Amino acid sequence: MSTFPLISLPSRSLFYHGTSISAARSICQLGFQASKNSGDWLGDGVYFFDVYRRAESWARRYHHNVGPAVITVEVDLTYCMDLSDPGWAEVLHRHADRLLAEAKESGITNMVQNDVFHGKDSYVINSIVEQLGASGFEVTCVKGLFASGDLAYPGSALALEAHLELAVRDTKIASIIAVEHLVSRVVSV
């Protein structure tokens, strides 16, 4: 790669990971394990939301039978590939077509790209991060914005499930602050 954007000024922010209480206990003992699924939205990493309620909703949706939990972490964003930054977005834009063509020439053709699986995005991001790493620049996390779900109202550009996700590739940059076991809520009218 010929160029890459400047790194951020040192910055730390809180992020939230929805999971099960048993997985949360394991994470506290053994640390986070990065996902390496070919359809992960931002490539390899441990996934976090920037809003607690998004992580809570995720945990309740996918772990309601086994005890949902939310882990709060503080993350060092200094070496983050922030795709809302025009410099990083340009790197992605500039190299995506070449990387996907190289993948196709190599016989990698099963990259599913839809509302759930982001195989092409994952491949391109992982490839860029690997190439930067080979040149001595380590990307420790990737941050992206996603407009998903229904529109807020007809004609709106705002999506009801829009969210920011962070894929932490180097788990040493994420420090656990708190773990909350979510109990069932009973609402009476």
Side-chain angles (χ1 to χ4, degrees), residues 16 23-24 29 37 89 105 115 119 149 156 166 170 172 189:
Y16 309 94
Q29 291 176 345
N37 297 317
E105 289 172 14
D115 290 345
S156 174
L166 181 75
D170 179 354
K172 293 185 298 269
V189 180

Side-chain angles (χ1 to χ4, degrees), residues 44-88:
D44 297 347
V46 179
Y47 278 72
F48 297 90
F49 292 103
D50 69 327
V51 175
Y52 177 90
R53 289 180 68 178
R54 289 271 180 231
E56 176 187 19
S57 175
W58 176 271
R60 289 188 189 282
R61 181 175 183 184
Y62 294 102
H63 301 289
H64 64 276
N65 290 333
V66 293
V70 173
I71 301 173
T72 302
V73 297
E74 184 179 52
V75 179
D76 179 351
L77 300 172
T78 305
Y79 298 99
C80 185
M81 176 190 277
D82 182 347
L83 298 175
S84 67
D85 178 310
W88 280 116

Side-chain angles (χ1 to χ4, degrees), residues 7-12 76-79:
I7 60 171
S8 304
L9 294 173
S11 165
R12 299 185 73 79
D76 179 351
L77 300 172
T78 305
Y79 298 99

Side-chain angles (χ1 to χ4, degrees), residues 50-149:
D50 69 327
V51 175
Y52 177 90
R53 289 180 68 178
R54 289 271 180 231
E56 176 187 19
S57 175
W58 176 271
R60 289 188 189 282
R61 181 175 183 184
Y62 294 102
H63 301 289
H64 64 276
N65 290 333
V66 293
V70 173
I71 301 173
T72 302
V73 297
E74 184 179 52
V75 179
D76 179 351
L77 300 172
T78 305
Y79 298 99
C80 185
M81 176 190 277
D82 182 347
L83 298 175
S84 67
D85 178 310
W88 280 116
E90 177 59 28
V91 168
L92 192 70
H93 177 74
R94 187 176 331 121
H95 296 284
D97 288 341
R98 174 184 56 80
L99 291 168
L100 292 171
E102 289 172 2
K104 188 174 182 180
E105 289 172 14
S106 299
I108 302 170
T109 58
N110 60 344
M111 292 180 271
V112 177
Q113 185 79 19
N114 58 36
D115 290 345
V116 177
F117 299 102
H118 289 234
K120 289 181 181 180
D121 294 337
S122 185
Y123 181 83
V124 168
I125 290 168
N126 282 338
S127 296
I128 290 171
V129 169
E130 288 169 15
Q131 290 178 11
L132 287 170
S135 68
F137 182 83
E138 183 185 4
V139 171
T140 58
C141 58
V142 180
K143 184 167 61 166
L145 301 168
F146 297 93
S148 56

